[in-house]
Amino acid sequence: MMKISVGTKLYLSVLSVFLVFAVSFIVFQQEREKQFKIDTLNLKLQDYNRHMEESVRLLNLRTEAQFDHYVDSHNFPNLRVTIIRTDGKVTYDSRLKDYSHLSNHITRPEIVSALKDGTGSTVDRNSETLSGDYFYSATYFPRDSFLIRSALPYNNDLTKSLQADQHYIWFALCAIMLLTVILYRFTHRLGHNIMKLRTFATRADHNESLDVEDLAVFPSDELGEIAERIIKIYKRLQTTRREQDILKRQLTQNIAHELKTPVASIQGYLETILENPNINDTMRQQFLERSYAQSQRLTSLLQDISTLNRMDDAPEITTQEHVDIAKTVANIQKETALQLQEKHMTFVNRLPADLVICGNASLVYSIFRNLTDNAIAYAGMGTTITLTAQYVQTNFDDHAKWHFRFTDNGVGVAPEHLQRLFERFYRVDKGRSRKMGGTGLGLAIVKNAVILHGGTISVHNNEDGGLCFEFTLRA
């Protein structure tokens, strides 16, 4: 069974309501105009009755000949005039002269109404004395104790005069046709858009391709624009989802690869100890120390992965507090003093003593600690690390920020590697990085932590050598 589209349903529903309203309005207007013409004609006949009563009273008309003369002299085509006493007996009729055969008129509707209200009329009533239908209008004159009733035959002339203006009907029909066409065009476009959206929803639900002709172009109206935007957003989400899936697979592979190295090393050392029970104490101690070092590396890797996942999955639940960055960096200097000394490196801390921001203490610590560890690991022997900060307030930003520069005068990085330094598990020299115990996640943690604190970060080579990390943190 073929389903009726939403646009067709809407068109038929609205058209039905509109046609019912239009027909009802036309019928109402027809009846209203007809009643207006009837009332106008009744007023003319009532006016005729009153003028005749005045003539009868002022000219003292009494004979039938005088009445006939008055009716003839006051020409009203096809008019029939009847004078009736209050008891219903006809005393004069301009058409019938045999009054003895005329029935009593006391029960005629127009006479009943006139005796009660002063005037009365009847439309399209068959005459009992003359064949044919008449329009009657009667007026009661209590002073004279009689009624004057004038009547016109309900012939073609009277019917035409009482009919409503046909031009109005034709105008109404033309208006209906015009509005029907406009309504059809509107609902057709609407239904076309809805059908396309339905096609989109069906294909999206079944994970089918959206690059089909039906979804290529929408009409240039508001709904078409909305539909196109929905499809574009969905396509972007699909693209983003595919990219995320690829990144997740790559991340999973990288994690597995990074975990495999320390696990294999620990397993190898322990197997050597187990398979050689007579191994000397010195060698056993050396293998155990190497296993412990690999376990520490494994712990660091898991901690870094946990930190990144926490920032990715639930950044809003990180606790916010006042963090004294100057004190945090001073503690990092103390913690890394031995490593700096071993490489003959200098850490120049030029931060203001009162530098405090609102953020997460653990993540802020990770920013400066990872940057410091990165510089110690890769800047080179005898280099200098310099850290500065500047308070920045912009007109277009509601929040003030601290702008930091973390630089070293070491070997730097080749330009092709700069844009990828913040990628997870990315290493410029993979073999050298693993030997130094790095997890490959330090700079990724730095970037995410900076973004979480409302800032941005970038990296470039200094003109005189070494790397420069520039980043901001919301004050």
Side-chain angles (χ1 to χ4, degrees):
M1 184 178 178
M2 184 178 180
K3 291 184 177 180
I4 301 177
S5 66
V6 175
T8 304
K9 289 180 180 178
L10 179 62
Y11 170 72
L12 294 176
S13 300
V14 177
L15 181 61
S16 300
V17 174
F18 177 72
L19 287 178
V20 169
F21 171 77
V23 171
S24 301
F25 180 75
I26 291 175
V27 172
F28 169 77
Q29 189 65 21
Q30 286 277 91
E31 292 298 321
R32 187 167 176 266
E33 188 174 355
K34 182 179 179 181
Q35 186 61 45
F36 172 77
K37 292 188 175 183
I38 290 173
D39 292 341
T40 302
L41 179 58
N42 186 50
L43 287 175
K44 289 182 179 179
L45 295 179
Q46 290 288 330
D47 186 59
Y48 181 91
N49 295 343
R50 291 190 181 90
H51 278 91
M52 186 174 181
E53 186 274 335
E54 287 180 1
S55 298
V56 169
R57 181 163 42 82
L58 295 176
L59 299 177
N60 196 24
L61 303 180
R62 290 289 180 267
T63 66
E64 185 167 335
Q66 291 175 328
F67 290 143
D68 287 339
H69 177 72
Y70 178 85
V71 173
D72 292 338
S73 62
H74 294 77
N75 187 25
F76 207 125
N78 301 320
L79 182 68
R80 176 190 175 190
V81 181
T82 307
I83 299 176
I84 306 162
R85 293 192 319 206
T86 55
D87 59 359
K89 183 176 177 57
V90 176
T91 60
Y92 171 76
D93 192 293
S94 62
R95 294 290 182 88
L96 297 176
K97 302 303 180 181
D98 188 3
Y99 303 120
S100 61
H101 290 86
L102 290 177
S103 61
N104 193 288
H105 284 37
I106 194 64
T107 59
R108 304 294 170 84
E110 66 277 6
I111 302 302
V112 174
S113 297
L115 290 172
K116 180 181 178 182
D117 302 321
T119 62
S121 62
T122 303
V123 181
D124 196 16
R125 182 175 70 77
N126 187 271
S127 173
E128 296 181 10
T129 54
L130 295 175
S131 59
D133 296 331
Y134 277 81
F135 178 86
Y136 295 99
S137 180
T139 309
Y140 174 46
F141 300 100
R143 179 189 299 178
D144 304 309
S145 297
F146 62 75
L147 300 94
I148 296 178
R149 185 187 70 179
S150 54
L152 287 173
Y154 215 91
N155 53 23
N156 291 334
D157 293 337
L158 182 60
T159 302
K160 290 179 180 179
S161 67
L162 294 181
Q163 282 182 345
D165 189 0
Q166 298 298 318
H167 294 88
Y168 169 80
I169 298 177
W170 285 112
F171 172 77
L173 290 176
C174 291
I176 291 174
M177 292 179 64
L178 178 62
L179 291 175
T180 300
V181 172
I182 295 173
L183 177 63
Y184 174 77
R185 288 177 58 85
F186 170 75
T187 55
H188 179 71
R189 290 166 65 91
L190 179 65
H192 187 57
N193 285 340
I194 293 175
M195 288 298 295
K196 282 194 172 186
L197 281 176
R198 182 182 179 184
T199 302
F200 156 72
T202 302
R203 299 186 71 87
D205 185 47
H206 292 85
N207 292 321
E208 298 176 1
S209 174
L210 300 179
D211 298 324
V212 294
E213 186 177 352
D214 289 344
L215 302 177
V217 179
F218 281 82
S220 57
D221 53 22
E222 290 81 359
L223 184 59
E225 182 181 351
I226 293 172
E228 284 186 345
R229 289 181 180 274
I230 291 174
I231 293 179
K232 287 180 181 179
I233 292 172
Y234 180 80
K235 286 183 176 180
R236 283 201 298 268
L237 290 175
Q238 273 192 323
T239 303
T240 303
R241 186 182 302 168
R242 286 195 294 267
E243 292 175 352
Q244 288 178 341
D245 291 340
I246 293 172
L247 289 175
K248 285 181 179 179
R249 286 195 297 271
Q250 292 177 346
L251 183 60
T252 302
Q253 293 172 356
N254 289 334
I255 291 174
H257 183 71
E258 294 295 331
L259 291 176
K260 182 172 66 175
T261 302
V263 169
S265 298
I266 293 172
Q267 185 178 3
Y269 293 137
L270 294 178
E271 284 180 354
T272 302
I273 294 174
L274 292 174
E275 291 175 359
N276 298 277
N278 297 324
I279 191 172
N280 60 64
D281 294 340
T282 303
M283 188 64 71
R284 180 184 291 106
Q285 181 66 26
Q286 184 179 358
F287 284 172
L288 289 174
E289 288 177 356
R290 290 178 180 176
S291 296
Y292 178 71
Q294 291 296 328
S295 68
Q296 285 185 313
R297 180 185 171 193
L298 191 60
T299 300
S300 298
L301 181 61
L302 293 175
Q303 287 177 343
D304 287 348
I305 292 173
S306 176
T307 301
L308 283 171
N309 287 338
R310 188 171 68 252
M311 286 190 288
D312 288 342
D313 296 337
E316 70 281 353
I317 66 173
T318 54
T319 57
Q320 300 288 314
E321 56 187 313
H322 291 291
V323 182
D324 189 335
I325 293 184
K327 183 177 180 181
T328 299
V329 173
N331 290 334
I332 292 174
Q333 284 182 278
K334 294 178 183 177
E335 293 169 2
T336 58
L338 183 59
Q339 296 168 275
L340 291 168
Q341 185 178 355
E342 288 176 352
K343 291 201 170 185
H344 307 289
M345 297 176 70
T346 305
F347 194 127
V348 179
N349 181 4
R350 294 178 179 171
L351 297 180
D354 59 346
L355 203 167
V356 178
I357 69 167
C358 184
N360 182 271
S362 175
L363 294 180
V364 171
Y365 173 86
S366 296
I367 295 172
F368 293 97
R369 180 58 192 262
N370 279 299
L371 288 174
T372 303
D373 289 343
N374 187 74
I376 292 174
Y378 306 113
M381 297 290 290
T383 54
T384 300
I385 300 171
T386 305
L387 177 60
T388 60
Q390 182 179 2
Y391 187 77
V392 179
Q393 176 73 57
T394 57
N395 295 329
F396 56 84
D397 196 342
D398 294 335
H399 297 283
K401 294 183 178 181
W402 282 97
H403 183 270
F404 296 88
R405 296 182 82 253
F406 191 100
T407 66
D408 65 69
N409 58 352
V411 296
V413 173
E416 64 268 19
H417 296 295
L418 284 175
Q419 299 303 318
R420 301 191 62 186
L421 287 181
F422 297 108
E423 293 182 13
R424 301 178 186 189
F425 297 111
Y426 183 78
R427 290 185 173 92
V428 177
D429 186 344
K430 297 181 179 180
R432 180 167 173 259
S433 298
R434 289 198 180 92
K435 288 179 182 178
M436 294 180 176
T439 64
L441 296 174
L443 293 182
I445 292 175
V446 170
K447 180 179 179 179
N448 282 26
V450 167
I451 293 174
L452 197 64
H453 285 80
T456 58
I457 186 168
S458 61
V459 59
H460 61 270
N461 284 314
N462 293 317
E463 293 182 359
D464 53 352
L467 275 182
C468 176
F469 290 90
E470 293 192 56
F471 59 97
T472 58
L473 297 176
R474 190 167 51 236

